């Protein structure tokens, strides 16, 4: 089949399983070996050998997919294995990709299945490498043995429990859909109410805008009138100020003329003072010269008198 998955298994009204979608199916014979060129089937249901190029595989590919399908039926959810490849260090230092064992990739789902589940040993064997995987005849025999032992009923009960969970989830999903529909209705009502409010608000805003324009026009006209009145008053005051400044300028010019006249008189007086100063200097020079002559004559007379008195004193001393 090469594409076995839950999507390709149908149930009749009596509960009989029918495998469909055989577009990828091929007849396998010992003379015709199959090798991987294009990956067949859905990846979560495919074993590792189909992902390696030019690797031979056989009908046990479907056995692997059947094991995944049994686990999905028991867990009631789609398989979600971890990444298939990992990197490992090669002997020559190159990093090579290596396949992770399927039981390791699906460890979380196997743990969810439980260690005591009667179908777990069969599922784990079906997840093994191709050489260790049981044939479809062995699988059929083991399932018949499980059914005869009564352990099979446990797995059926688990499946019924999964169906109950699925039914409950369906009801919850329906409730969620109804809640979403109700929210959409409320959203529609809110949008209509919002449009009504926007319309009312738009009319109110137009009225307020018109009133504001009128108020602004009135205020502007009043401001223009007041500004004009103040401008006229200011112009009259400015003319008065200009007249006062003109009179003050004339007075300053008159005062400036008097200052110029006084300056000329001062210059004349300074000329007279300079002449008087020169005459005073000449007179003082002459007086100083005369005084020097008189002092020299006085010094000479004093020296003569001193010499005369000294001679008289010496004569008196000798006579005694």
């Amino acid at each position: 089949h090469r594409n076995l998955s839950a999507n390709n298994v149908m149930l009749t009204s009596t509960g009989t399983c029918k495998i469909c979608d055989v577009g990828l199916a091929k007849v396998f014979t010992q003379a015709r070996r199959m090798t991987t060129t294009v990956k067949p089937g859905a990846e979560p249901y495919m074993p590792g050998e189909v992902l390696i190029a030019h690797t031979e595989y056989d009908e046990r590919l479907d056995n692997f997919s059947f094991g995944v399908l049994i686990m999905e039926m028991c867990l009631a959810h789609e398989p979600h294995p971890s990444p298939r490849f990992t990197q490992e260090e090669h002997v020559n230092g190159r990093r090579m990709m290596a396949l992770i064992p399927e039981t390791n990739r699906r460890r979380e789902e196997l743990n969810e299945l439980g260690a005591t589940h009667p179908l777990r040993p069969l599922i784990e064997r079906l997840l093994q490498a191709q050489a260790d995987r049981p044939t479809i005849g062995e699988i059929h025999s083991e399932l018949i043995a499980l059914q005869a032992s009564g352990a099979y009923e446990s797995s059926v009960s688990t499946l019924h429990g999964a169906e109950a969970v699925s039914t409950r989830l369906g009801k919850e999903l329906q409730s969620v859909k109804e809640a979403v529909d109700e929210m959409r209705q409320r959203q529609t009502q809110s949008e209509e109410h919002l449009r009504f409010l926007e319309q009312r608000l738009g009319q109110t805003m137009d009225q307020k805008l018109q009133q504001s324009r009128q108020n602004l026009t009135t205020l502007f006209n009043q401001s223009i009138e007041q500004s004009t009145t103040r401008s006229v008053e200011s112009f009259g005051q400015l003319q008065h100020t200009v007249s006062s400044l003109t009179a003050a300028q004339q007075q300053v010019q008159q005062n400036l003329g008097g200052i110029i006249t006084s300056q000329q008189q001062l210059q004349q007086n300074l000329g007279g003072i300079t002449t008087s100063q020169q005459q005073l200097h000449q007179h003082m020079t002459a007086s100083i010269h005369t005084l020097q002559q008189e002092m020299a004559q006085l010094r000479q007379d004093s020296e003569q008198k001193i010499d005369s008195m000294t001679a008289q004193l010496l004569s008196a001393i000798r006579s005694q």
Side-chain angles (χ1 to χ4, degrees):
H1 189 275
R2 302 202 309 161
N3 193 16
L4 185 61
S5 65
N7 290 334
N8 294 334
V9 177
M10 310 299 291
L11 284 176
T12 66
S13 59
T14 59
T16 303
C17 294
K18 299 289 185 178
I19 299 177
C20 62
D21 191 0
V22 294
L24 294 178
K26 287 187 177 182
V27 176
F28 173 74
T29 64
Q30 292 295 333
R32 182 186 181 187
R33 310 298 298 179
M34 287 182 287
T35 58
T36 303
T37 54
V38 179
K39 298 177 184 178
E43 195 276 336
Y45 296 88
M46 292 293 104
E49 61 262 21
V50 302
L51 299 178
I52 301 177
H54 307 293
T55 301
E56 292 186 357
Y57 63 91
D58 54 26
E59 75 280 0
R60 284 174 290 185
L61 176 148
D62 290 340
N63 300 351
F64 179 92
S65 302
F66 182 60
V68 177
L69 183 59
I70 293 175
M71 185 165 57
E72 180 178 358
M73 291 167 61
C74 294
L75 298 179
H77 65 71
E78 295 180 355
H80 298 287
S82 61
R84 187 182 297 272
F85 292 97
T86 185
Q87 287 186 345
E88 63 178 10
E89 194 72 24
H90 198 262
V91 292
N92 59 2
R94 295 179 59 190
R95 301 193 68 84
M96 303 293 293
M97 300 298 292
L99 282 172
I100 299 176
E102 290 296 329
T103 53
N104 293 343
R105 292 182 62 223
R106 304 174 190 271
R107 180 62 55 191
E108 183 176 349
E109 294 172 343
L110 289 172
N111 292 337
E112 183 180 354
L113 186 64
T116 60
H117 196 284
L119 291 174
R120 176 162 177 165
L122 176 60
I123 293 173
E124 288 183 340
R125 290 174 59 204
L126 291 172
L127 296 179
Q128 298 299 319
Q130 179 173 266
D132 301 326
R133 207 172 294 153
T135 64
I136 194 66
E138 294 171 345
I139 296 171
H140 181 264
S141 299
E142 188 166 342
L143 288 176
I144 293 298
L146 284 173
Q147 186 178 18
S149 66
Y152 180 76
E153 300 297 330
S154 175
S155 61
V156 174
S157 299
T158 302
L159 179 60
H160 290 168
E163 292 176 351
V165 172
S166 177
T167 302
R168 179 173 55 83
L169 291 176
K171 292 180 179 179
E172 292 180 357
L173 180 61
Q174 184 63 29
S175 299
V176 171
K177 289 181 178 179
E178 293 176 356
V180 170
D181 293 338
E182 184 179 357
M183 291 178 64
R184 288 176 178 173
Q185 292 178 359
R186 292 183 179 180
Q187 182 180 3
T188 303
Q189 294 176 356
S190 299
E191 291 176 352
E192 293 177 355
H193 184 62
L194 180 61
R195 286 193 293 269
F196 174 74
L197 291 178
E198 288 177 349
Q199 184 178 3
R200 291 292 302 275
L201 182 60
Q203 295 176 356
T204 304
M205 290 298 294
D206 290 339
Q207 294 176 356
K208 290 185 177 180
L209 181 61
Q210 184 66 27
Q211 184 65 33
S212 299
R213 288 176 179 174
Q214 294 178 357
N215 295 335
L216 288 175
T217 302
T218 302
L219 290 174
F220 181 75
N221 293 332
Q222 293 177 354
S223 299
I224 290 295
E225 292 177 357
Q226 294 176 359
S227 299
T228 302
T229 302
R230 287 195 295 268
S231 297
V232 171
E233 294 176 353
S234 299
F235 182 73
Q237 295 176 357
L238 181 61
Q239 287 180 336
H240 178 72
T241 303
V242 169
S243 299
S244 300
L245 288 174
T246 302
Q249 183 180 7
Q250 293 175 356
Q251 183 66 33
V252 168
Q253 289 178 350
Q254 293 177 0
N255 294 335
L256 183 60
I259 290 173
I260 293 173
T261 302
S262 299
Q263 185 178 9
Q264 293 175 353
Q265 292 177 357
L266 179 60
Q267 288 178 351
Q268 293 176 0
N269 294 334
L270 286 174
I273 291 172
T274 301
T275 303
S276 300
Q277 185 178 6
Q278 292 175 354
Q279 293 176 355
L280 178 61
H281 182 266
Q282 293 176 357
H283 179 69
M284 289 179 65
T285 301
S287 299
I288 290 172
H289 181 70
T290 302
L291 182 59
Q292 288 177 346
Q293 290 178 353
E294 291 178 354
M295 287 181 66
Q297 184 64 39
L298 181 60
R299 185 183 297 110
Q300 183 178 2
D301 292 342
S302 297
E303 290 176 353
Q304 290 177 358
K305 287 183 181 181
I306 290 172
D307 291 340
S308 178
M309 291 178 65
T310 301
Q312 291 176 5
L313 183 59
L314 290 174
S315 295
I317 292 172
R318 289 192 188 100
S319 63
Q320 292 180 1

